[in-house]
Amino acid sequence: MRQVVSLELKKAFRTKGFYIALMVGLLISLYHTVWIYRYAYAPNNVEYEKVTELGEMDKEYGYWYEIGVLDGWLGTELLSPCNQLFYLLLPFLAVLPYGSQLFSEWNNGYAGQMIIRCGRRRYLTARGIAAFVSGGCVIAIPLLVNFLSIACFMPIIGTDPMALQSVVPGRALLGDIVYEAPALYAAWYIFIDFIYGGLFALMALAITQFCYNRFVLMILPLMFNCCMYYGIHNLIPDINAYNISLIPNPAQQGMKLTWHSLFLSMSGMFLILIVLFAASNYKKDVLRTGDSSMTYVKNPNYWDADNVTVDEMNV
């Protein structure tokens, strides 16, 4: 099992999709860093120099607050378009590395050969782990790089409550550490986004058997996320705390996230995807050809698949 997982992880981190998704995320991170320095950090310093030259009797004296790293981090900064763009593309970027590769491997017969060699359970488990880890990495790495780059010129200090400049409400989940330990808040949400990146990659695996076009397979998680955002967020705002399209965003806007809703939505989504993924690949092998025809081979012992012959596989 360890060898199969290691093989799939190596494949996942060497695909073109992984490099493309990572590059897109890093480009958004880099653009955001430059934008923050130019339009937030530099004007704030100019305002500081202006205020320090005023006398204590001036009515504008003291109207300046130092901005910290969370005021400029990609996850909690809403002045630029980068936050909305990144979290809009999150499902698509998560699927790119390895979420859609299973579709190709059913087409070219590679999946059947792997099932013969290592068994269905080992192969599908390894594929799920590789997709989850690679999908999580292409989301977490740009957020981490952005935090470190912003921290190079903005201090790691909590937002001053008197400044009223924090986008994270004080009543929000972990809202208190926004003012006390901003690095811990960023680390926590990078971990949450890693998990959700992996879950969206698993979503592509779970619906592979129901799609006949790879492009549709890659777009469906993004469309599902958009429907959840614009549908539930606008039509049923009372359950926004369970909306998986809002939870990954560290800004926590328009929701009242709790530990209960976070755990329930995350574990519920994970269990549904695992059950759907296992059920759609249970006791049958699918060999898709170029004309989209499908061959089903049923075997009562196919989940173990340790004694499946080439004749049974029709490959």
Side-chain angles (χ1 to χ4, degrees), residues 280-298:
S280 62
N281 291 276
Y282 183 64
K283 288 189 177 180
K284 69 178 181 180
D285 179 54
V286 181
L287 178 61
R288 295 195 179 101
T289 59
D291 59 356
S292 298
S293 62
M294 304 173 71
T295 303
Y296 294 86
V297 181
K298 296 184 179 180

Side-chain angles (χ1 to χ4, degrees), residues 184-198:
L184 182 59
Y185 183 83
W188 166 253
Y189 249 99
I190 290 175
F191 175 70
I192 294 296
D193 289 349
F194 173 87
I195 293 178
Y196 270 95

Side-chain angles (χ1 to χ4, degrees), residues 12-82:
F13 286 103
R14 294 175 181 176
T15 61
K16 292 181 180 179
F18 177 81
Y19 293 115
I20 293 174
L22 187 60
M23 184 178 299
V24 171
L26 290 176
L27 285 176
I28 296 175
S29 173
L30 177 61
Y31 173 79
H32 177 260
T33 302
V34 175
W35 193 96
I36 287 297
Y37 185 89
R38 182 174 181 179
Y39 295 105
Y41 179 72
N44 187 262
N45 284 345
V46 172
E47 186 67 19
Y48 171 73
E49 294 177 358
K50 174 184 176 181
V51 170
T52 54
E53 294 177 355
L54 300 176
E56 294 184 5
M57 301 303 297
D58 195 296
K59 63 179 181 178
E60 294 186 3
Y61 179 79
Y63 283 10
W64 179 87
Y65 296 94
E66 187 172 16
I67 55 178
V69 65
L70 286 188
D71 299 312
W73 181 44
L74 176 61
T76 51
E77 185 275 321
L78 299 179
L79 295 177
S80 72
C82 298

Side-chain angles (χ1 to χ4, degrees), residues 119-310:
R120 177 176 296 269
R121 182 181 302 171
R122 293 188 183 92
Y123 172 65
L124 293 179
T125 302
R127 283 309 308 260
I129 293 174
F132 185 91
V133 173
S134 59
C137 284
V138 296
I139 302 303
I141 291 176
L143 289 172
L144 177 60
V145 171
N146 181 263
F147 181 85
L148 295 176
S149 60
I150 294 295
C152 289
F153 55 88
M154 296 179 72
I156 304 180
I157 58 174
T159 302
D160 192 329
M162 297 297 295
L164 301 178
Q165 60 193 19
S166 175
V167 299
V168 182
R171 65 183 183 279
L173 182 66
L174 297 176
D176 53 336
I177 67 173
V178 171
Y179 305 98
E180 299 174 1
L184 182 59
Y185 183 83
W188 166 253
Y189 249 99
I190 290 175
F191 175 70
I192 294 296
D193 289 349
F194 173 87
I195 293 178
Y196 270 95
L199 289 176
F200 279 111
L202 285 180
M203 183 181 296
L205 292 185
I207 63 176
T208 295
Q209 296 292 357
F210 308 101
C211 295
Y212 296 90
N213 184 285
R214 186 174 179 180
F215 177 75
V216 173
L217 176 64
M218 296 169 64
I219 292 296
L220 277 179
L222 174 61
M223 299 303 297
F224 173 78
N225 190 65
C226 290
C227 290
M228 292 290 291
Y229 181 85
Y230 293 104
I232 293 180
H233 179 55
N234 293 320
L235 299 178
I236 320 176
D238 293 338
I239 62 172
N240 273 338
Y242 299 90
N243 192 340
I244 61 173
S245 67
L246 295 177
I247 292 176
N249 196 324
Q252 299 190 49
Q253 295 295 295
M255 60 186 302
K256 296 180 181 179
L257 185 62
T258 63
W259 289 109
H260 176 267
S261 62
L262 175 63
F263 176 78
L264 188 61
S265 59
M266 188 182 299
S267 58
M269 183 179 179
F270 179 77
L271 289 176
I272 292 173
L273 293 177
I274 290 297
V275 170
L276 183 60
F277 179 46
S280 62
N281 291 276
Y282 183 64
K283 288 189 177 180
K284 69 178 181 180
D285 179 54
V286 181
L287 178 61
R288 295 195 179 101
T289 59
D291 59 356
S292 298
S293 62
M294 304 173 71
T295 303
Y296 294 86
V297 181
K298 296 184 179 180
N299 186 326
N301 300 318
Y302 220 64
W303 181 257
D304 297 327
D306 292 325
N307 56 356
V308 178
T309 64
V310 176

Side-chain angles (χ1 to χ4, degrees), residues 102-123:
L102 185 60
F103 181 89
S104 300
E105 293 183 1
W106 283 122
N107 283 339
N108 59 30
Y110 177 85
Q113 295 298 321
M114 286 297 295
I115 290 174
I116 293 174
R117 287 169 170 77
C118 66
R120 177 176 296 269
R121 182 181 302 171
R122 293 188 183 92
Y123 172 65

